[in-house]
């Protein structure tokens, strides 16, 4: 942490509390030092000296950042940077919508516009390392489905891997929306589209690995259309 003192000599006066200002300075430290989830945050004492505030203020600032998923406290090890700093599982509060089936249909509509472009871009930009991760993710989904295990989490990881293949800094930040949509879909349909999922994921994988953007986009469109049709069927069953 040598060399950071010049960045944190004072905390500017703002219309925010001292713990809030301290949280901002710690966030600045994380960005400037390019800290990752492998990095441990300096101790309370070190931060207090660095930021020229009391240890109690540092403690409150850290609590704020833990609540925002910027930091995480690992029992017996200390405070570390979170895996995906600032990301929360349900940032838009989807879980509180009373009509989850209607929400699922609206999410499919959004996915239909967004994810074909993501798949096309993934095919055009994926490197060998990201393709390796994508293949592994696809294999795990297949294993879960064939073993008749809940495949919602592995399905999410597959779509996350596609997003990461784009090497676009913004796309992975959209993943919480896709994540909620996939988990909600699997829950509402009780995982009935297992065969279509196996075939659709394999076609997506092959197209992206072949660097065929058009085929990848079309495969994603078809994959999402299967989801839309299944949800429409569920809505019809409820009405009857």
């Amino acid at each position: 942490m040598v060399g950071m003192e010049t960045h944190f000599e004072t905390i500017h006066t703002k219309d925010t509390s001292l713990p809030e200002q301290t949280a901002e300075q710690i966030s600045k430290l994380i960005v400037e030092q390019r800290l990752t989830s492998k990095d441990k945050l300096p101790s309370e004492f070190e931060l207090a000296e660095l930021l020229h505030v009391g240890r109690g203020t540092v403690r409150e600032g850290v609590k704020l950042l833990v609540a925002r998923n910027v930091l995480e406290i690992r029992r017996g090890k200390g405070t570390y940077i979170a895996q995906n700093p600032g990301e929360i599982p349900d940032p838009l509060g989807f879980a509180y919508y009373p009509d989850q089936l209607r929400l699922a249909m609206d999410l499919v509509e959004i996915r239909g516009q967004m994810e074909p472009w993501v798949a096309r871009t993934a095919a055009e930009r994926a490197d060998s390392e990201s393709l390796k991760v994508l293949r592994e993710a696809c294999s795990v989904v297949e294993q879960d489905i064939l073993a008749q295990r809940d495949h919602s989490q592995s399905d999410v990881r597959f779509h996350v891997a596609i997003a990461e293949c784009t090497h676009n800094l913004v796309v992975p930040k959209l993943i919480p929306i896709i994540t909620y949509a996939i988990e909600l879909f699997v829950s509402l349909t009780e995982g009935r589209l297992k065969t279509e999922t196996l075939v659709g994921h394999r076609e997506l994988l092959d197209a992206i690995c072949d660097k065929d953007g058009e085929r990848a986009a079309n495969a994603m469109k078809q994959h999402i259309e299967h989801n839309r049709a299944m949800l429409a069927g569920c809505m019809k069953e409820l009405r009857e």
Side-chain angles (χ1 to χ4, degrees):
M1 296 297 173
V2 176
M4 291 192 302
E5 288 80 357
T6 55
H7 298 297
F8 300 100
E9 288 180 353
T10 60
I11 295 180
H12 300 291
T13 302
K14 297 181 179 180
D15 294 330
T16 53
S17 68
L18 195 54
E20 280 281 3
Q21 293 176 43
T22 301
E24 289 178 17
Q25 294 285 29
I26 294 173
S27 295
K28 185 178 177 183
L29 181 154
I30 292 168
V31 173
E32 289 192 350
Q33 296 297 308
R34 300 186 179 184
L35 304 181
T36 70
S37 58
K38 296 179 182 178
D39 296 309
K40 183 178 179 179
L41 198 69
S43 68
E44 273 185 16
F45 177 79
E46 291 171 316
L47 285 172
E49 289 233 320
L50 183 65
L51 303 179
H52 302 286
V53 296
R55 292 176 64 181
T57 301
V58 169
R59 195 174 305 120
E60 291 302 313
V62 167
K63 285 181 182 178
L64 289 172
L65 293 177
V66 169
R68 296 167 189 167
N69 197 40
V70 175
L71 299 174
E72 64 178 16
I73 297 173
R74 300 178 188 173
R75 192 180 296 275
K77 294 183 178 180
T79 304
Y80 286 77
I81 316 306
Q83 186 70 40
N84 296 297
E87 285 188 15
I88 56 177
D90 185 16
L92 302 180
F94 288 144
Y96 296 94
Y97 281 67
D99 188 344
Q100 291 285 292
L101 189 53
R102 164 68 189 280
L103 173 64
M105 286 294 286
D106 286 353
L107 284 169
V108 165
E109 188 175 10
I110 297 298
R111 290 183 66 196
Q113 295 299 312
M114 180 172 65
E115 287 194 79
W117 175 84
V118 171
R120 181 193 300 275
T121 306
E124 294 170 350
R125 299 181 183 175
D127 57 23
S128 58
E129 183 59 33
S130 54
L131 288 176
K132 178 183 177 183
V133 172
L134 184 61
R135 290 190 191 95
E136 291 172 352
C138 186
S139 176
V140 173
V141 179
E142 292 175 349
Q143 291 170 29
D144 284 346
I145 289 177
L146 293 174
Q148 298 186 333
R149 294 190 294 262
D150 175 18
H151 66 281
S152 58
Q153 291 303 310
S154 55
D155 199 327
V156 165
R157 282 193 290 274
F158 176 72
H159 285 268
V160 169
I162 292 176
E164 290 175 345
C165 282
T166 67
H167 296 288
N168 179 299
L169 293 175
V170 178
V171 170
K173 298 301 181 182
L174 303 175
I175 286 302
I177 297 174
I178 297 173
T179 295
Y180 194 91
I182 292 170
E183 292 176 343
L184 180 59
F185 173 79
V186 174
S187 173
L188 290 172
T189 62
E190 298 176 344
R192 281 184 270 180
L193 279 181
K194 292 178 181 178
T195 300
E196 290 82 355
T197 297
L198 286 170
V199 173
H201 281 195
R202 180 56 61 175
E203 175 58 21
L204 276 165
L205 175 65
D206 291 344
I208 293 171
C209 288
D210 289 344
K211 305 289 187 180
D212 191 333
E214 185 67 21
R215 198 171 108 213
N218 288 332
M220 184 64 83
K221 287 178 185 176
Q222 186 173 27
H223 182 56
I224 293 173
E225 175 56 27
H226 282 310
N227 289 6
R228 189 205 64 76
M230 174 60 76
L231 285 171
C234 290
M235 291 185 80
K236 184 178 178 181
E237 288 175 10
L238 285 175
R239 292 194 191 104
E240 292 175 348

